[in-house]
Each structure stands twice: as C-alpha cells, then as structure tokens.
Amino acid sequence: MVYVGLDGEAGLLALGLPELVQLCLVAPWWRDAPGRTPEELQVVADEYREDLPDFARRRDRAARALGIDLDELPSEATVLARLVERSRGPVAAACLVVGYEGDPLDPLFNTACP
C-alpha cells in the first residue's frame, strides 16, 4: 500500500491490507510521524487521544467488526518502526512514486535518518 499526499510526499505504508489496517487502528495519527523524535511522537499521540477521548473504544469496536483479535494488535512503537522500515527498504525503492513532471515525490521519511 502506497500513500500519496497532497503536499508532494509519497511512500510505502504497508505490505498488504492487514498491515495497513493495523497501522490505522493502532496509530491513526501516523501522518504526523515523519521527521519526529519518539518524544515528539508521544506528544502527537497524546494530543490525538485528548481530541478523541473514546479512541480506545472506537479502535476496539472497529477491530472486532473486522474480526481482529485485540490481543494480536501490535504496539504503537512496533507499527511505527515497521512504517519507517517499509519506507527505507528495497520494496520502497520499487514503489517510487513519480510526479506528473517526471520527478520522484518526496519520501515520507528522510532515508538518511537513523
């Protein structure tokens, strides 16, 4: 699954629908992840939960509706680490998104970051 944003960024999000659903269930604020430190990501997650106080209930309800065992959902850290890994691996290079002028769109994550 490849994401193409309106601001000219693109990148591989997940290898298949199950990974994408996990990302959306566990860290629906993932679009705010690029370029942030783990501490900054925690602030983003906390703000998301503050804005949506029934987030856990909604996530659990959606997971059950999709037949997903809540105990098998990965942690936020795992999902975000996988997102960064996907953006840098060999599959990401094969999923390069090229804009209408022929130039590649900006990556979701700076590949030079550790």
Side-chain angles (χ1 to χ4, degrees):
M1 301 292 178
V2 175
Y3 173 81
V4 178
L6 295 175
D7 295 325
E9 75 281 352
L12 180 66
L13 291 183
L15 297 179
L17 188 57
E19 266 189 31
L20 182 63
V21 170
Q22 286 179 353
L23 175 64
C24 293
L25 286 173
V26 174
W29 43 267
W30 67 265
R31 288 188 305 160
D32 292 328
R36 297 187 190 269
T37 66
E39 294 80 17
E40 291 169 334
L41 284 174
Q42 188 59 57
V43 170
V44 170
D46 292 344
E47 288 173 352
Y48 186 91
R49 288 188 188 93
E50 187 177 304
D51 290 343
L52 193 66
D54 62 343
F55 165 71
R57 182 186 62 79
R58 290 179 183 211
R59 178 204 56 221
D60 295 353
R61 184 172 158 203
R64 283 192 300 275
L66 294 168
I68 297 171
D69 183 348
L70 295 171
D71 293 330
E72 293 181 12
L73 282 177
S75 68
E76 283 182 2
T78 299
V79 166
L80 291 172
R82 185 169 58 199
L83 178 62
V84 171
E85 178 186 322
R86 296 283 182 252
S87 73
R88 296 179 180 164
V91 177
C95 295
L96 184 67
V97 178
V98 177
Y100 67 91
E101 293 181 1
D103 296 322
L105 297 181
D106 293 333
L108 287 176
F109 292 89
N110 181 348
T111 55
C113 293

